[in-house]
Amino acid sequence: MIYLDNSATTKIAPEALETYTEVSQKIWGNPSSLHALGEKAYSLLEQARKQIAGLLGVRPEEIFFTSGGTEGDNWVLKGTAIEKMGYGKHLITSSIEHPAVLNAMAQLEKLGFEVTYLPVDKHGHVSAADLKKAIRPDTILVSIMAVNNEIGAIQPLDEIADVLQDYPKIHFHVDAVQGIGKGIQPLIMNKRVDFVTFSGHKFHAPRGIGFMFKRHGRKLAPLMSGGGQEKNLRSGTENLPAIAAMAKALRLLLESESEKVQQQRKIKQFIYDHISKFPKVTLFSEMNAQFAPHILCFTINGVRGETIVHAFEDQGIYISTTSACSSKKHEISGTLSSMAIPEKIATSAIRVSLDENNTLAEAEEFVKVFDELYSRFEKINS
């Protein structure tokens, strides 16, 4: 099996799984309990928080645990809307965000908020100039992803941050689910960014766990009310085994990060160079600093994306159409639609997504199978 669908989810790291199992068996007290078992659990919880904060260069009190990227995105958007609705009801995002952001924005629109969706250029990037034009006196939030999950476009967060320096009261949120461990941490953790959301299963932690960075001093209304965990901002008994495993996975991810990024970029370049020679291939991911090292989106024109995915699967290679959240619904890529890609081309889009465990030998097998499938599809279409 060759797994090239790491933007959908990653395999849990053996070390993280070991931590999860050990904590489940040995430290099973409730961190809120007063007795010794509770104190031991609470100590481990805060140790994990401190480790994650240290890896990102922030304060431990700025890290909050969630169930993943979807909850984090919803919390920032809706929590800001609730907290700041007295100051304004206008929010800004891009047209290519993950459904966790777009659908949350749509829900807020039904509640009377106004949302501006910034367009993207033919490369899938938003414009800081467009953002500046969109800002109004009643704007309370700007939410822009770090890395697009479908084509890998890295958004100009530094330029957006520069614009927002003149608007210190506007919350600035970054969805960094696809960006962690990809060599762009300084961009993601820009000093003007107020909230950043992460999902553990994208970097070899268990599913159902994530965390959010909330800059000290920024206010956010809670969405989960209850026992007062996470400083009264996110109630619910903490998933301590998953939290400890996520801290371990993040440490492992960021070890030798530059070498891992270089390896992924090398593999992506190898596949890119090969498939770009074929006339019916259209590439949407580029080989430059404005694109992430691990995502390659392209089409074999005239063949539907799901057909290509299953053809590769028959050969033991796992890829995807575009977003895993929309693949089974047979929806056209929202990113490609926003880039004005014609529907007949967009329906052929597929995504190869790498991680540090993929090898050049796997890429060589991929292009070998690609050649066979391309020839087969060409004969069928002709």
Side-chain angles (χ1 to χ4, degrees):
M1 182 185 76
I2 297 176
Y3 184 74
L4 301 174
D5 194 19
N6 291 282
S7 286
T9 195
T10 58
K11 182 181 179 181
I12 188 170
E15 299 91 338
L17 181 58
E18 182 181 358
T19 295
Y20 184 94
T21 302
E22 185 176 0
V23 173
S24 297
Q25 294 174 337
K26 297 181 180 179
I27 309 178
W28 42 266
N30 189 321
S32 297
S33 297
L34 293 176
H35 49 63
L37 289 176
E39 286 296 323
K40 192 173 183 180
Y42 178 78
S43 177
L44 180 60
L45 176 70
E46 294 310 306
Q47 181 182 330
R49 195 189 312 275
K50 184 177 180 180
Q51 179 171 310
I52 291 173
L55 290 167
L56 296 182
V58 300
R59 307 178 188 180
E61 59 268 24
E62 294 177 316
I63 298 298
F64 293 80
F65 296 117
T66 68
S67 64
T70 294
E71 183 192 337
D73 289 344
N74 274 262
W75 184 9
V76 174
L77 271 56
K78 297 173 183 177
T80 293
I82 295 170
E83 182 69 35
K84 297 177 71 70
M85 62 189 303
Y87 301 95
K89 287 191 170 186
H90 180 235
L91 307 99
I92 300 173
T93 190
S94 81
S95 59
I96 61 166
E97 297 296 310
H98 188 275
V101 169
L102 294 179
N103 290 339
M105 288 290 192
Q107 190 175 16
L108 288 171
E109 286 183 289
K110 292 179 180 179
L111 296 175
F113 289 83
E114 291 184 65
V115 181
T116 295
Y117 297 90
L118 300 177
V120 294
D121 61 20
K122 63 181 181 179
H123 306 288
H125 295 104
V126 299
S127 161
D130 287 343
L131 168 66
K132 189 165 186 177
K133 292 176 185 176
I135 293 175
R136 306 184 334 202
D138 60 339
T139 302
I140 57 174
L141 171 73
V142 171
S143 178
I144 304 292
M145 64 182 5
V147 174
N148 178 263
N149 55 301
E150 297 186 9
I151 67 169
I154 300 174
Q155 299 306 320
L157 300 181
D158 49 355
E159 297 176 20
I160 292 170
D162 288 343
V163 170
L164 292 177
Q165 290 288 3
D166 295 332
Y167 305 90
K169 294 183 178 180
I170 295 176
H171 282 181
F172 182 18
H173 165 241
V174 172
D175 176 339
V177 166
Q178 293 291 340
I180 187 69
K182 303 306 176 184
I184 58 170
Q185 187 167 307
L187 186 70
I188 293 171
M189 303 304 297
N190 185 293
K191 64 180 181 179
R192 177 59 186 84
V193 174
D194 301 306
F195 303 94
V196 188
T197 44
F198 302 88
S199 183
H201 78 102
K202 304 295 188 181
F203 55 87
H204 308 288
R207 297 173 191 176
I209 193 66
F211 66 95
M212 177 185 71
F213 162 74
K214 182 181 82 70
R215 190 169 298 282
H216 179 74
R218 285 302 202 187
K219 293 183 178 181
L220 193 66
L223 299 187
M224 306 287 284
S225 301
Q229 290 87 351
E230 297 298 289
K231 302 180 181 64
N232 280 316
L233 290 177
R234 200 274 185 181
S235 293
T237 302
E238 300 89 348
N239 186 353
L240 185 59
I243 289 170
M246 178 172 63
K248 171 70 73 67
L250 185 62
R251 179 177 65 79
L252 294 172
L253 174 77
L254 297 180
E255 286 180 352
S256 306
E257 181 182 7
S258 60
E259 289 86 350
K260 294 173 182 176
V261 169
Q262 184 179 7
Q263 171 73 1
Q264 291 168 67
R265 195 174 295 281
K266 181 179 179 181
I267 295 172
K268 177 183 172 183
Q269 183 78 63
F270 177 82
I271 298 175
Y272 181 98
D273 289 344
H274 184 87
I275 65 176
S276 62
K277 302 172 184 176
F278 292 78
K280 291 186 178 180
V281 167
T282 300
L283 286 149
F284 303 112
S285 304
E286 301 176 25
M287 293 304 308
N288 56 50
Q290 283 70 53
F291 282 80
H294 66 301
I295 294 177
L296 181 60
C297 181
F298 64 94
T299 68
I300 300 176
N301 297 330
V303 186
R304 290 191 64 86
E306 57 265 30
T307 300
I308 303 172
V309 167
H310 290 309
F312 271 102
E313 182 182 4
D314 289 341
Q315 302 299 317
I317 299 176
Y318 292 84
I319 58 175
S320 67
T321 49
T322 48
S323 170
C325 296
S326 62
S327 60
K328 284 192 174 182
K329 301 174 185 176
H330 304 294
E331 296 176 349
I332 298 173
S333 162
T335 299
L336 298 183
S337 295
S338 297
M339 292 165 59
I341 303 300
E343 182 176 341
K344 65 180 181 180
I345 296 178
T347 55
S348 298
I350 57 174
R351 179 187 67 187
V352 170
S353 49
L354 311 165
D355 76 358
E356 65 275 14
N357 296 314
N358 290 123
T359 66
L360 194 57
E362 291 177 329
E364 291 170 349
E365 181 63 21
F366 174 87
V367 299
K368 176 183 176 183
V369 172
F370 173 88
D371 290 353
E372 296 170 356
L373 294 179
Y374 186 94
S375 178
R376 185 198 309 173
F377 291 138
E378 194 170 38
K379 290 178 181 177
I380 293 172
N381 287 340
S382 62

